[in-house]
Amino acid sequence: MSSPYPAGELLAELCLNKFDTLPKTGKPTNKEWTILAGVVQYDENRKESKVVALGAGTKCIGRSKLCSGGLILNDSHAEVLARRALLRYFYAELRKAIENKLSIFQWNAEKLFFTLKRELSFHFISTQTPCGDACIEDESCDEESIETPNKKPKLVCDELVQKDFGKTLLNDSEVVYTGAKLIGEHSDLLQQFVGVVRTKPGRGDRTLSMSCSDKLSRWNVLGVQGALLDTLLDKPIYFETLTFCCSRSNEKSIRRAI
């Protein structure tokens, strides 16, 4: 059965093209690399797609460097930054709706909530498998044994990207296999346990930020809108598809983790 949404290759290309149009400040040089994540909004009625959020980065602040005043961003992984940018987009669109301007949201006077227009959907793209459980392959787990929720986003996991900008994209040989530390009492915090929650990063000072695998899993259950927006909307907003630049061998691990 064909998907009603654009192919993962097209969504990835849109994000890469948008990244190319941004100023050079903060981008990796020819000797550097980073991870890029983005969110594409698709209008089913108009058959139009547009990038509404982008994030790039691999940094995360350790516990010892946290700011009690909230002036330092704790988690700067690309996936998390893209989602934060998406929330800013949602807030801006809600303001437009309040001011009776054209917006992705509509006020429902009967339910006293804002509703997302039915024809719109959101699609997540990342140039690497998210850190944490999604990076760990379990050879004993076959596809028939993976439990998945009744409503799950379409997962596209393949070598999607044809372009290269300063080694921003990683080859399969460069994939990080954990990128996070186990929670709990373990002799080795980097052990390859399956189905266990983790914090970032894999090396250095432990952080209080959950791995991207765990965060994507949470968004897949509770929605991406967060607690504040949840009080204003009639229902959660989910990513309808997830697209990752990775090998096919990672697909089972991603499905299990997310």
Side-chain angles (χ1 to χ4, degrees):
M1 183 178 179
S2 61
S3 170
Y5 307 117
E9 290 86 351
L10 174 60
L11 299 176
E13 184 178 4
L14 287 173
C15 290
L16 292 173
N17 289 340
K18 174 61 70 172
F19 184 85
D20 282 342
T21 65
L22 300 178
K24 293 183 178 180
T25 304
K27 286 185 178 180
T29 65
N30 290 334
K31 296 182 179 180
E32 298 175 324
W33 63 266
T34 190
I35 298 172
L36 177 67
V39 180
V40 175
Q41 176 182 295
Y42 177 64
D43 187 322
E44 186 175 4
N45 290 347
R46 297 184 177 183
K47 307 300 179 185
E48 293 179 351
S49 302
K50 71 173 183 177
V51 179
V52 295
L54 279 179
T58 60
K59 302 297 183 181
C60 197
I61 297 298
R63 181 184 302 184
S64 62
K65 297 181 180 180
L66 294 179
C67 176
S68 60
L71 302 179
I72 298 178
L73 188 60
N74 298 343
D75 191 342
S76 295
H77 279 215
E79 299 91 332
V80 177
L81 291 179
R83 187 255 184 175
R84 292 174 71 91
L86 179 63
L87 294 188
R88 290 178 63 90
Y89 173 67
F90 286 161
Y91 286 125
E93 290 297 309
L94 279 173
R95 179 180 290 275
K96 290 180 181 179
I98 293 173
E99 296 174 349
N100 292 321
K101 298 179 181 178
L102 184 62
S103 169
I104 65 172
F105 296 109
Q106 296 175 323
W107 173 250
N108 189 316
E110 182 179 349
K111 294 184 178 180
L112 300 180
F113 284 117
F114 288 98
T115 62
L116 177 68
K117 292 181 178 179
R118 292 185 178 182
E119 63 271 19
L120 301 179
S121 59
F122 296 93
H123 307 264
F124 180 84
I125 299 93
S126 177
T127 59
Q128 183 175 297
T129 305
C131 66
D133 194 44
C135 290
I136 301 176
E137 295 186 33
D138 182 7
E139 296 179 356
S140 65
C141 179
D142 56 36
E143 194 160 343
E144 287 73 21
S145 66
I146 300 175
E147 294 184 5
T148 56
N150 291 330
K151 177 178 173 56
K152 62 178 183 298
K154 176 190 175 186
L155 182 73
V156 181
C157 182
D158 207 345
E159 298 176 357
L160 299 175
V161 183
Q162 304 298 325
K163 301 179 62 177
D164 183 12
F165 41 88
K167 285 191 176 180
T168 299
L169 310 181
L170 302 184
N171 299 321
D172 290 341
S173 61
E174 298 174 293
V175 170
V176 179
Y177 286 98
T178 54
K181 290 181 177 178
L182 294 167
I183 290 181
E185 298 297 328
H186 300 280
S187 57
D188 182 0
L189 296 180
L190 297 180
Q191 284 181 299
Q192 306 299 297
F193 289 131
V194 169
V196 182
V197 294
R198 293 171 169 80
T199 57
K200 305 168 183 172
R203 300 173 184 174
D205 184 20
R206 180 190 279 276
T207 75
L208 298 181
S209 299
M210 301 304 296
S211 72
C212 288
S213 292
D214 296 322
K215 289 191 174 184
L216 279 162
S217 178
R218 182 182 66 188
W219 303 338
N220 196 31
V221 174
L222 301 177
V224 300
Q225 72 288 329
L228 179 58
L229 282 175
D230 194 53
T231 63
L232 303 175
L233 303 177
D234 64 330
K235 59 183 178 181
I237 298 175
Y238 294 98
F239 292 132
E240 293 297 329
T241 64
L242 304 172
T243 301
F244 300 98
C245 179
C246 61
S247 67
R248 281 288 178 183
S249 61
N250 288 103
E251 183 173 346
K252 290 192 296 184
S253 300
I254 297 175
R255 287 190 181 278
R256 179 199 67 237
I258 298 178

